[in-house]
Amino acid sequence: MLTFKNFNITDWLSFYRIVAAPFLIVLIWIDARLLFSWLLLVSYCTDAIDGYIARKLKMISVRGSQLDSFGDQLTFITGLLGLYVFETNFIKENWAIIVLAFVPYIAQMLVAYFKYGKATAFHTYLAKFSAIIQSIFILWALFFNPEYVLFYSMIAIGVIETIEEIVLIFMYDNWISDVKSIFWALKDKRR
């Protein structure tokens, strides 16, 4: 049973993203693009600082890692949904590239669930960089217009990051969090 009294500040930042997702969806539904964009920015900011705070205050935990990953996934999906609704023409014009980028992502999720019974929480450097590029692209598109340089960068880095995650899944027999890269994993004694 989930008990909130044991949550620390970083857990609450991740939990915010989980709770914010349905509210963001309501904002999409009522066509409140500007408010949606600002609150999505807040969600991205909580994602940017929760890991840093956890490391600085030594509050790293498996629960925190899982909350962070779940919050990240919900925020990403909500951001994409907003992008789809508010920039439908852009999505329709680029649907083939978007689908090609999602194939490795879906494969990675399936392999993780098959092997570990849950999503990964490696939090690699490449995953963090990919999340930054994704959030910049999505926010830029929502506040201004979709920018193709950002779009193609997001797709390329996202695919490379997903391939790294798949390799890491095969490198670790048991679920583990906080693996910085393939090169870092080669030296990791937890393997």
Side-chain angles (χ1 to χ4, degrees):
M1 182 171 183
L2 184 63
T3 173
F4 292 105
K5 69 180 181 177
N6 295 329
F7 276 32
N8 60 46
I9 184 68
T10 59
D11 294 339
W12 281 108
L13 289 170
S14 296
F15 193 65
Y16 163 80
R17 289 193 307 281
I18 295 167
V19 172
F23 292 104
L24 288 167
I25 291 170
V26 169
L27 293 174
I28 294 168
W29 186 57
I30 64 172
D31 198 30
R33 179 180 181 145
L34 189 58
L35 184 56
F36 170 83
S37 301
W38 280 107
L39 291 178
L40 184 65
L41 174 61
V42 171
S43 288
Y44 285 138
C45 288
T46 65
D47 181 32
I49 63 172
D50 64 353
Y52 174 78
I53 292 171
R55 285 185 298 281
K56 280 294 182 189
L57 299 178
K58 296 182 180 15
M59 295 180 171
I60 297 170
S61 68
V62 171
R63 177 189 63 209
S65 183
Q66 289 176 322
L67 277 172
D68 179 51
S69 292
F70 187 58
D72 293 350
Q73 290 169 351
L74 282 178
T75 302
F76 177 62
I77 291 166
T78 305
L80 288 180
L81 180 61
L83 190 65
Y84 176 78
V85 170
F86 297 126
E87 290 292 337
T88 306
N89 289 338
F90 175 81
I91 299 298
K92 286 180 179 178
E93 290 169 8
N94 296 285
W95 70 269
I97 295 169
I98 295 167
V99 168
L100 284 174
F102 267 98
V103 169
Y105 177 74
I106 291 167
Q108 180 263 332
M109 294 298 286
L110 291 173
V111 171
Y113 278 104
F114 179 74
K115 186 166 185 177
Y116 303 132
K118 57 185 167 184
T120 60
F122 293 129
H123 298 118
T124 63
Y125 293 129
L126 197 51
K128 291 173 186 179
F129 183 59
S130 179
I132 290 168
I133 297 295
Q134 289 167 0
S135 59
I136 290 170
F137 167 73
I138 291 170
L139 289 170
W140 188 274
L142 290 169
F143 281 115
F144 308 108
N145 288 305
E147 173 60 50
Y148 275 94
V149 171
L150 289 172
F151 174 68
Y152 291 129
S153 299
M154 176 189 73
I155 295 294
I157 293 165
V159 169
I160 293 167
E161 182 269 327
T162 303
I163 292 167
E164 179 182 51
E165 293 258 338
I166 292 169
V167 171
L168 288 171
I169 291 169
F170 287 107
M171 290 178 74
Y172 286 91
D173 292 331
N174 298 310
W175 186 93
I176 195 161
S177 64
D178 300 320
V179 177
K180 302 305 173 202
S181 69
I182 291 173
F183 301 109
W184 187 89
L186 291 171
K187 300 174 191 172
D188 189 4
K189 305 231 185 300
R190 299 176 295 177
R191 279 189 328 119

